Amino acid sequence: MNIAKVDLNLLVYLDVLLREGSVTRAANQLSITQPAMSNGLKRLRDLFKDPLLVRTSDGMTPTKRALELQPVIRDVLSRLESSIQPETDFDPATSKRTFRIMTSDYAESTLLLGLLSELAIQAPNITLDLITPSDVTFHDVEQGKVDMAINRFEELPLSFHQKVIWYDTFSCVLSAENPMAAGQFDLDSYLSASHVWVSKTGFGVGVGIDPNEVQKLGWVDAELTKLGKQRDIRVFTRHYHAALQIAKTQNLIATLPTKAARLFIDDPQVVLKAPPFDIPPIALKMAWSALLHHDAGHIWLRRLISDVAEQMNHSANK
């Protein structure tokens, strides 16, 4: 293939086609006619000697070759876009920019509090629009409609940039009036108690929990399953503050990431204990689109978040 003879518009067409999975939607996205997009797909198939998109019962499905090309083409176009855009400086002290961040309740309760304190000092006119995981999709982040996603992710698209913010262990939160707060706290006593479950990861609208589907309950219950054990969960919630309050006022145990549990460290009505079994640490990550990777303001925000996380880790280890 002679690269000099390749129409770069075709790469743009392929990028949008693979993202939309529809000739009609891709044409609308690029403000061209459907016949023009269909012709572009035909030329792409000739160029790559591959059908690229095949009609199935699920709609237009990308081939193996198309899936291999998608992150490469997205990266090439992103680099080209950033190269031809005029370079602009970003001054956090005067910027009035709004950053939209998809964040879990866990990250919002821990990391974001420290971030807001730094923003008040360094960038007092910047606004944060915090969005829940149920409000957005991977597609929104990929298109740059959302500046960043901060959460615990099991999987992320290859086109995303990502960075681990920190690793966190687990702690058990109990009411000080819970008999186990001052008594024996081993695996048997843990399993004899009732529990409050809390978690929400990934993107998209959440669905109800089936207590019998242990494999879908997350890290804590996955480790118990390896031991052939199962805890008695009485309350399912997606909010860490709710879980903390429930554990504080009810005779239930909340097993949470330690940074969330330590929000109550100075509360005399609460006791924190180490879990009586091993739970691997979790990784809190930030992920963002290649479209924003070279943006000066975005680079500043990512560095600030990393700095805040490092300061919080340093304080926690004192």
Side-chain angles (χ1 to χ4, degrees):
M1 183 188 298
N2 186 348
I3 192 67
K5 295 182 180 180
V6 175
D7 181 354
L8 288 180
N9 283 324
L10 288 178
L11 300 185
V12 176
Y13 285 13
L14 181 56
D15 180 50
V16 178
L17 275 166
L18 293 177
R19 194 164 64 225
E20 296 294 336
S22 161
V23 170
T24 301
R25 289 198 300 271
N28 291 337
Q29 187 83 340
L30 292 171
S31 299
I32 61 176
T33 65
Q34 185 169 335
M37 179 56 77
S38 296
N39 181 59
L41 178 57
K42 179 180 181 303
R43 292 171 63 194
L44 282 164
R45 285 167 169 165
D46 292 340
L47 178 66
F48 289 104
K49 304 294 188 292
D50 187 271
L52 299 176
L53 286 164
V54 178
R55 191 173 298 282
T56 68
S57 58
D58 294 326
M60 296 293 281
T61 302
T63 64
K64 181 176 181 294
R65 174 67 168 149
L67 292 174
E68 291 171 347
L69 286 168
Q70 187 172 20
V72 176
I73 289 177
R74 179 66 264 162
D75 183 60
V76 168
L77 292 177
S78 174
R79 291 173 183 271
L80 184 60
E81 287 165 354
S82 64
S83 297
I84 63 178
Q85 286 177 355
E87 186 175 345
T88 57
D89 293 328
F90 176 78
D91 182 5
T94 59
S95 175
K96 295 184 179 180
R97 183 167 171 175
T98 295
F99 288 101
R100 291 178 176 83
I101 301 176
M102 188 289 284
T103 176
S104 64
D105 182 56
Y106 161 62
E108 206 171 311
S109 300
T110 53
L111 173 72
L112 269 297
L113 290 177
L115 177 62
L116 287 170
S117 297
E118 281 300 314
L119 284 175
I121 298 169
Q122 299 188 33
N125 297 312
I126 279 179
T127 300
L128 292 187
D129 182 9
L130 304 180
I131 306 170
T132 70
S134 298
D135 293 331
V136 299
T137 64
F138 280 127
H139 187 61
D140 295 322
V141 178
E142 187 177 47
Q143 287 191 316
K145 294 178 182 178
V146 177
D147 289 281
M148 190 179 299
I150 301 178
N151 206 342
R152 297 170 292 157
F153 302 105
E154 294 181 5
E155 292 184 16
L156 283 168
L158 294 176
S159 60
F160 281 25
H161 291 276
Q162 60 177 290
K163 181 178 181 179
V164 174
I165 296 175
W166 63 45
Y167 291 95
D168 201 359
T169 58
F170 282 81
S171 294
C172 296
V173 180
L174 299 79
S175 166
E177 297 181 3
N178 189 315
M180 273 182 273
Q184 186 175 11
F185 193 71
D186 56 16
L187 183 58
D188 288 338
S189 58
Y190 180 90
L191 294 173
S192 70
S194 296
H195 297 259
V196 52
W197 174 100
V198 57
S199 183
K200 182 68 178 81
T201 61
F203 289 82
V205 178
V207 295
I209 291 294
D210 182 347
N212 296 316
E213 292 186 289
V214 176
Q215 71 276 12
K216 295 183 180 180
L217 295 183
W219 297 268
V220 176
D221 299 279
E223 295 310 308
L224 284 173
T225 300
K226 292 177 183 177
L227 299 174
K229 307 293 183 181
Q230 186 173 350
R231 59 178 173 164
D232 178 25
I233 302 172
R234 298 288 92 203
V235 178
F236 291 87
T237 179
R238 278 69 174 171
H239 301 284
Y240 284 86
H241 270 291
L244 288 164
Q245 289 291 343
I246 291 169
K248 175 180 175 179
T249 60
Q250 306 296 319
N251 204 26
L252 298 175
I253 298 174
T255 306
L256 310 173
T258 299
K259 283 183 170 59
R262 286 182 64 84
L263 295 173
F264 276 14
I265 191 68
D266 296 323
D267 191 329
Q269 294 180 276
V270 168
V271 173
L272 269 58
K273 288 183 175 288
F277 56 100
D278 291 332
I279 308 174
I282 57 167
L284 181 68
K285 297 181 179 180
M286 57 178 168
W288 62 94
S289 169
L291 293 172
L292 294 169
H293 186 63
H294 300 285
D295 179 90
H298 206 274
I299 292 170
W300 172 84
L301 179 64
R302 298 196 305 263
R303 287 174 178 166
L304 181 62
I305 289 173
S306 296
D307 290 345
V308 168
E310 187 175 343
Q311 292 169 14
M312 292 178 66
N313 279 331
H314 181 70
S315 298
N317 293 331
K318 282 185 177 180

